[in-house]
């Protein structure tokens, strides 16, 4: 797990670099601290001190002493017990997910944030982590303010013999008390988590003694009567199984309901992650977190049930509803309860502060939010993140200065529930992904419990406060978009990839090639690329030609694996994938090692793709003597200025721009030897046709402009020319053969793409007009009817080519090469009619079967397309058009 703190990004929000001493690439809690002293092992806490104690105190807090009577008084015993059972059922589902994730590998610091980010990825983990951090900040401020209010109301009014008004006049600012209490929490947290755990243990002992005094008082204290200023005298009898009696709450002056009382009750259940947040200080978090959390939650559940039973059996409903501090009145010695309230609130505040600081420290180590959080990565010699503690203390102090926190109390609970739902979602995703490495030692969970936990947490959010719930989800989405826009990459693994793999595999099995039908045909392209420096424009063009089909960039690395120590192809995938990202094309990459290019192309044609997603078309660059240009030196995306514009090179999975430029060899010059002989090139074409793959040859596409991802071209000024006749065989006048229709279909597909949608499409029909036979007019009408049936919108141009055909000398042997004058005349005709076209589609004849005719065949193609501009020669072998519905 040494790579679990790999930096996600190296620049902050402001685009400034952060020094290595703060959050450089080697930042880690196990490395040297900023003071230069080697860190000691910060993992010192066991299950009891590290998990059980903080979890119990967080779940008790101030609610235990000041809100249990409120819940039982309004809801009655039966509904109060129902609330406890429902609340603990919800959090128990989340606890099962926490136990599963925490026992599936080593857990570092950060608790819930660490679990979520390492399971769902940096975007979701960072968003939930920041919201969880803010929730703990506000919760800490709420605990402190609650403690101050209790301090003023109970302590000074009962046990101090000075007039209360004088005391309030002298010590009026609540912020002063809050600042003192926060300073005490800060000092404890600065010393370290081990001091906090010991302090928390002492507090737990005090709270336990206070609880025991409450239970003993229920038996030892005789029946009493009290004067309630809000409602009048009350009796001391409360029916044990009384029904609910929701009434007016004297503190808020509003009528209570099941939802409002349950929301108050549920705030006592939001501390289940207190132990998990201490994961960075635990000796063995994978054992301590599940064991300690389950024991702590079970203990608090028993305490709440017993307390509800005791209160309902001994106290009058009016007393419970009208006096939240009634436990002091009925206690053997009232200071027991007062001290318990102080200790519970103080421990909850310290637990929230130290938990928030650990989450902030983990966020800083991962560099998710860059420069603003960078200093929080600094630790002391003992491994304590003291800067993160100071950050947390400062933000909590700001919250306390804001004063009244009743309004945001519901927001805190909503944030907690959202974090719990995210933990359930992380566990659910891991379970659904069915990854072999997801083998938690804790097995008491299933995807059903995870899904039920998510639904329960989300439902509880909206029960507590629909407005806050909606707002928190909107905030989560905004943070997700922000982190996604920054495109952080990591070595953590992406659960989305595992889920996508799982679903794609399932749907690929359902994609049955036996059910293929021509009306659902789409191009699935394998584009062979020798060097992307000279082929990038063709790569961009084919991206427009794929029409939602499979698009694969293929490359053959010459070599023999028997003579090499390792496969050199595997190391190249990252560079090719970075090239795809830079070009902005939606393509896969498939590389192979072979002694010859022809043999490697055969490999790729056979094995590329899966099931029904396999290439049905091979596209090659043209074989000619032109000196290629280096596109990578011309495109701004591959220049150094791209770093200044967006800094995108930081997110290419370890492939920066200089290494990408250096990986691909320079373009071939005029003197450089070719890797591919003409016979081998023509042999590749023949092989593809034999394998029932259509073939396209692209020439002059380095002249095509406006295909890059930043181009705003809409195609309104573009022209697509189609010559569906086999121009090298004038005797053929079949415009409806498979290859001609394939040409029309490919031109139509291009015309449907974004950058060619508004392009003008022209189809040229070559006719002989010298004879008195007017059959060409009939053929023209038949062709127009064919276009109408195929729903192809194009203008038809009639091109008389008697002057061209006269240069052709018919021979008895079909393999006889056309004369140079005929080829020149065809080229002149194309130049005359298609000189203004943006791209041209021509008929590619069948390659010769004899190896000796390969150079002649290439010379014919070169002569016909000489200086034409971007041209695609196509030979289709399968029917691709359909006229019926």
């Amino acid at each position: 797990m040494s790579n679990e703190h790999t930096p996600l990004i190296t620049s902050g929000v402001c685009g400034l670099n952060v020094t290595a001493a703060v959050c450089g690439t080697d930042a880690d809690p196990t490395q040297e601290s900023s003071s230069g002293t080697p860190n000691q092992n910060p993992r010192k806490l066991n299950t009891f001190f590290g998990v059980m104690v903080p979890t119990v105190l967080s779940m008790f807090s101030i609610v235990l002493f000041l809100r249990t009577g409120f819940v039982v008084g309004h809801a009655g015993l039966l509904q109060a017990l129902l609330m406890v059972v429902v609340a603990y059922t919800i959090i128990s589902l989340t606890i099962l997910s926490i136990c599963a994730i925490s026992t599936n590998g080593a857990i570092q610091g950060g608790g819930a944030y660490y679990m979520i980010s390492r399971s769902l990825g940096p975007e979701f983990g960072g968003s939930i982590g920041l919201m969880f951090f803010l929730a703990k900040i506000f919760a800490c401020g709420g605990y402190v303010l609650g403690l101050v209010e209790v301090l003023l109301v109970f302590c000074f009014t009962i046990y101090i013999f000075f007039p209360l008004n004088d005391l309030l006049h002298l010590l009026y600012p609540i912020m002063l008390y809050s600042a003192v209490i926060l300073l005490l929490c800060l000092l404890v947290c600065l010393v370290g988590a081990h001091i906090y755990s010991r302090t928390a243990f002492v507090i737990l002992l005090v709270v336990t003694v206070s609880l025991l005094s409450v239970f003993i008082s229920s038996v030892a204290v005789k029946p009493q009567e009290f004067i309630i200023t809000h409602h009048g005298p009350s009796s001391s009898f409360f029916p044990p199984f009384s029904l609910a009696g929701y009434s007016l709450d004297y503190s808020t002056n509003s009528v209570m309901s099941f939802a409002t009382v349950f929301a108050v009750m549920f705030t006592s259940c939001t501390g289940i992650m207190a132990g998990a947040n201490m994961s960075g200080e635990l000796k063995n978090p994978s054992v301590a977190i599940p064991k300690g959390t389950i024991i702590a939650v079970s203990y608090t559940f028993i305490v709440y049930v017993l307390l509800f039973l005791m209160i309902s059996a001994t106290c009058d409903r009016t007393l419970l509803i009208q006096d939240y501090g009634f436990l002091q009145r009925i206690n053997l010695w009232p200071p027991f309860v007062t001290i318990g309230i102080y200790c519970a609130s103080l421990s909850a505040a310290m637990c929230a502060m130290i938990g928030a600081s650990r989450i902030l420290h983990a966020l800083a180590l991962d560099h998710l939010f860059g420069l603003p959080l960078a200093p929080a990565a600094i630790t002391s010699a003992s491994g304590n993140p003291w800067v993160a503690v100071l950050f947390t203390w400062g933000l909590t102090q700001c919250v306390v200065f804001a004063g009244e926190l009743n309004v945001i109390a519901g927001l805190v609970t909503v944030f907690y529930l959202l974090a719990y739902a995210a933990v359930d979602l992380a566990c659910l995703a891991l379970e659904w992904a069915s990854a072999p490495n997801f083998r938690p030692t804790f097995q008491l969970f299933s995807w059903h419990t995870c899904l039920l936990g998510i639904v329960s947490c989300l439902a509880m959010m909206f029960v507590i406060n629909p407005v806050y719930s909606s707002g928190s989800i909107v905030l989560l989405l905004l943070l997700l978009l922000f982190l996604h826009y920054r495109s952080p990459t990591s070595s953590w693994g992406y659960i989305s990839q595992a889920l996508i793999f799982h679903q794609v595999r399932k749907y690929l099995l359902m994609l049955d090639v036996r059910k293929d039908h021509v009306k659902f045909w789409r191009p699935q392209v394998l584009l062979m690329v020798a060097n992307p420096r000279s082929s990038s424009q063709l790569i961009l063009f084919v991206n427009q030609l794929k029409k939602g089909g499979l698009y694969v960039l293929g490359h053959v690395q010459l070599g023999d694996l028997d003579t090499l120590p390792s496969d050199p192809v595997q190391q190249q995938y990252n560079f090719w994938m970075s090239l795809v990202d830079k070009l902005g094309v939606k393509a896969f990459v498939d590389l192979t090692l072979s002694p010859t290019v022809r043999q490697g192309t055969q490999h790729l044609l056979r094995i590329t793709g899966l099931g029904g997603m396999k290439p049905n078309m091979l596209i090659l660059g043209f074989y000619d003597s032109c000196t290629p240009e280096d596109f990578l030196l011309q495109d701004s995306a591959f220049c150094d200025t791209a770093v200044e514009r967006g800094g995108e090179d930081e997110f290419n999975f370890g492939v920066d721009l200089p290494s990408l430029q250096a990986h691909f060899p320079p373009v071939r010059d005029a003197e450089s030897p070719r890797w591919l002989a003409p016979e081998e090139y023509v042999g590749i074409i023949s092989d593809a046709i034999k394998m029932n793959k259509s073939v396209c040859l692209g020439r002059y596409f380095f002249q095509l402009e406006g295909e890059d991802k930043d181009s705003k071209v809409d195609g309104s000024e573009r022209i697509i020319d189609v010559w569906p006749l086999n121009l090298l065989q004038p005797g053929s006048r079949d415009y409806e053969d498979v290859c001609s229709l394939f040409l029309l279909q490919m031109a139509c597909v291009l015309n449907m793409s974004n950058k060619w949608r508004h392009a003008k499409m022209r189809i040229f029909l070559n006719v002989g007009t010298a004879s008195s036979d007017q059959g060409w007019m009939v053929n023209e009408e038949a062709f127009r009817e064919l276009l109408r049936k195929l729903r192809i919108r194009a203008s038809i141009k009639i091109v008389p080519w008697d002057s061209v055909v006269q240069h052709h000398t018919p021979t008895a042997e079909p393999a006889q090469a056309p004369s140079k004058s005929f080829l020149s005349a065809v080229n002149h005709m194309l130049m005359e009619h298609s000189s203004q076209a943006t791209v041209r589609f021509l008929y590619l004849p069948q390659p010769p079967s004899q190896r000796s005719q390969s150079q002649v065949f290439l010379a014919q193609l070169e002569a016909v397309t000489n200086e034409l501009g971007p041209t695609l020669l196509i030979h289709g072998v399968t029917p691709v058009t359909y006229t019926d519905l």
Side-chain angles (χ1 to χ4, degrees), residues 265-301:
M265 167 60 209
F266 197 83
T267 57
S268 63
C269 302
T270 56
I272 60 174
M273 298 293 292
N277 291 331
M278 303 292 292
S279 58
E281 283 78 20
L282 298 175
K283 292 179 181 179
N284 191 352
S286 296
V287 174
I289 291 176
K291 182 179 179 181
T293 304
I294 291 175
I295 294 175
V297 172
S298 302
Y299 171 70
T300 58
F301 174 76

Side-chain angles (χ1 to χ4, degrees), residues 245-397:
Y246 298 104
S247 59
L248 192 70
D249 176 26
Y250 74 88
S251 64
T252 61
N253 201 28
S254 58
V255 178
M256 294 294 97
S257 64
F258 182 90
T260 55
V261 174
F262 186 65
V264 173
M265 167 60 209
F266 197 83
T267 57
S268 63
C269 302
T270 56
I272 60 174
M273 298 293 292
N277 291 331
M278 303 292 292
S279 58
E281 283 78 20
L282 298 175
K283 292 179 181 179
N284 191 352
S286 296
V287 174
I289 291 176
K291 182 179 179 181
T293 304
I294 291 175
I295 294 175
V297 172
S298 302
Y299 171 70
T300 58
F301 174 76
I302 294 173
V303 170
Y304 274 114
V305 171
L306 293 178
L307 191 60
F308 281 9
L309 290 172
M310 184 273 293
I311 292 174
S312 64
T314 59
C315 298
D316 182 81
R317 181 192 301 276
T318 307
L319 176 66
L320 302 181
I321 294 176
Q322 299 299 329
D323 188 359
Y324 296 157
F326 75 98
L327 288 178
Q328 282 184 318
R329 295 194 178 195
I330 66 173
N331 201 275
L332 285 170
W333 190 51
F336 269 137
V337 176
T338 305
I339 295 172
I341 293 173
Y342 297 160
C343 291
S345 301
L346 185 62
S347 66
M350 286 192 296
C351 182
M353 178 176 289
I354 201 166
S357 65
R358 269 46 182 180
I359 296 173
L360 181 64
H361 177 64
L363 286 168
L365 285 178
D366 290 337
H367 302 183
L368 277 176
F369 294 94
L371 187 61
L373 299 187
I378 301 175
T379 59
S380 65
S382 61
N384 185 32
W386 61 273
V387 177
V389 174
L390 289 176
F391 267 48
T392 304
W393 170 78
L395 291 175
T396 307
Q397 190 69 67

Side-chain angles (χ1 to χ4, degrees), residues 20-333:
V22 177
C23 60
T25 56
D26 296 327
D28 190 276
T30 61
Q31 301 295 326
E32 294 186 0
S33 64
S34 58
S35 61
T37 306
N39 283 347
Q40 303 173 6
N41 184 14
R43 296 184 177 273
K44 301 178 181 180
L45 303 182
N46 57 19
T47 302
F48 181 77
F49 287 104
V51 181
M52 289 179 58
V53 172
T55 303
V56 169
L57 290 176
S58 295
M59 297 188 71
F60 280 165
S61 67
I62 203 169
V63 176
L64 179 68
F65 295 102
L66 294 182
R67 287 296 181 271
T68 51
F70 166 84
V71 174
V72 178
H74 283 286
L77 176 62
L78 295 181
Q79 288 197 18
L81 292 176
L82 176 64
M83 290 181 183
V84 174
V85 172
V86 172
Y88 272 79
T89 300
I90 293 174
I91 64 173
S92 296
L93 295 171
T94 301
I95 290 172
L96 296 179
S97 300
I98 294 172
C99 295
I101 297 176
S102 61
T103 59
N104 190 54
I107 301 293
Q108 306 297 323
Y113 159 70
Y114 188 88
M115 296 179 187
I116 297 169
S117 62
R118 269 51 177 183
S119 300
L120 299 182
E123 294 94 342
F124 208 95
S127 305
I128 291 293
L130 184 61
M131 295 180 68
F132 201 32
F133 167 74
L134 294 176
K136 284 196 167 292
I137 291 291
F138 286 116
C140 183
Y143 295 141
V144 171
L145 284 176
L147 177 57
V148 171
E149 291 177 3
V150 173
L151 186 69
L152 290 176
V153 173
F154 290 110
C155 182
F156 290 118
T157 58
I158 299 175
Y159 301 109
I160 302 298
F161 296 102
F162 297 103
L164 178 61
N165 292 334
D166 294 340
L167 285 172
L168 293 178
H169 178 72
L170 294 174
L171 306 174
Y172 177 77
I174 294 180
M175 283 88 73
L176 178 61
Y177 299 110
S178 303
V180 172
I181 296 173
L182 272 179
L183 184 60
L184 176 61
C185 296
L186 173 65
L187 293 177
V188 173
C189 295
L190 281 178
V191 174
H194 61 288
I195 298 297
Y196 158 74
S197 65
R198 268 60 178 180
T199 305
F201 175 65
V202 174
I203 293 175
L204 179 60
L205 291 179
V206 175
V207 173
T208 303
V209 172
S210 300
L211 274 174
L212 289 175
S213 72
V214 171
F215 285 106
I216 294 173
S217 298
S218 65
V219 179
V221 176
K222 297 179 180 180
Q224 301 179 27
E225 290 188 0
F226 304 102
I227 301 300
I228 303 298
T229 58
H230 307 289
H231 196 269
S234 64
S235 64
S236 59
F237 177 73
F238 190 101
F241 299 100
S242 173
L243 299 177
Y246 298 104
S247 59
L248 192 70
D249 176 26
Y250 74 88
S251 64
T252 61
N253 201 28
S254 58
V255 178
M256 294 294 97
S257 64
F258 182 90
T260 55
V261 174
F262 186 65
V264 173
M265 167 60 209
F266 197 83
T267 57
S268 63
C269 302
T270 56
I272 60 174
M273 298 293 292
N277 291 331
M278 303 292 292
S279 58
E281 283 78 20
L282 298 175
K283 292 179 181 179
N284 191 352
S286 296
V287 174
I289 291 176
K291 182 179 179 181
T293 304
I294 291 175
I295 294 175
V297 172
S298 302
Y299 171 70
T300 58
F301 174 76
I302 294 173
V303 170
Y304 274 114
V305 171
L306 293 178
L307 191 60
F308 281 9
L309 290 172
M310 184 273 293
I311 292 174
S312 64
T314 59
C315 298
D316 182 81
R317 181 192 301 276
T318 307
L319 176 66
L320 302 181
I321 294 176
Q322 299 299 329
D323 188 359
Y324 296 157
F326 75 98
L327 288 178
Q328 282 184 318
R329 295 194 178 195
I330 66 173
N331 201 275
L332 285 170
W333 190 51

Side-chain angles (χ1 to χ4, degrees), residues 448-508:
H448 305 85
T449 61
C450 299
L451 186 60
L452 187 58
I454 295 172
V455 173
S456 300
C457 289
L458 294 178
M460 187 52 52
M461 286 171 53
F462 284 92
V463 167
I464 292 174
N465 195 311
V467 177
Y468 287 164
S469 300
S470 303
S472 63
I473 293 175
V474 170
L475 177 59
L476 174 64
L477 294 177
L478 292 176
L479 289 172
L480 279 170
L481 291 175
F482 170 75
L483 291 176
H484 181 73
Y485 176 76
R486 291 174 61 82
S487 302
T489 60
S490 72
S491 58
W492 307 340
Y494 291 84
I495 190 63
S496 59
Q497 296 298 303
L499 291 172
I500 291 171
F501 177 89
H502 187 268
Q503 292 301 109
V504 167
R505 181 194 64 85
K506 181 173 69 175
Y507 286 113
L508 276 175

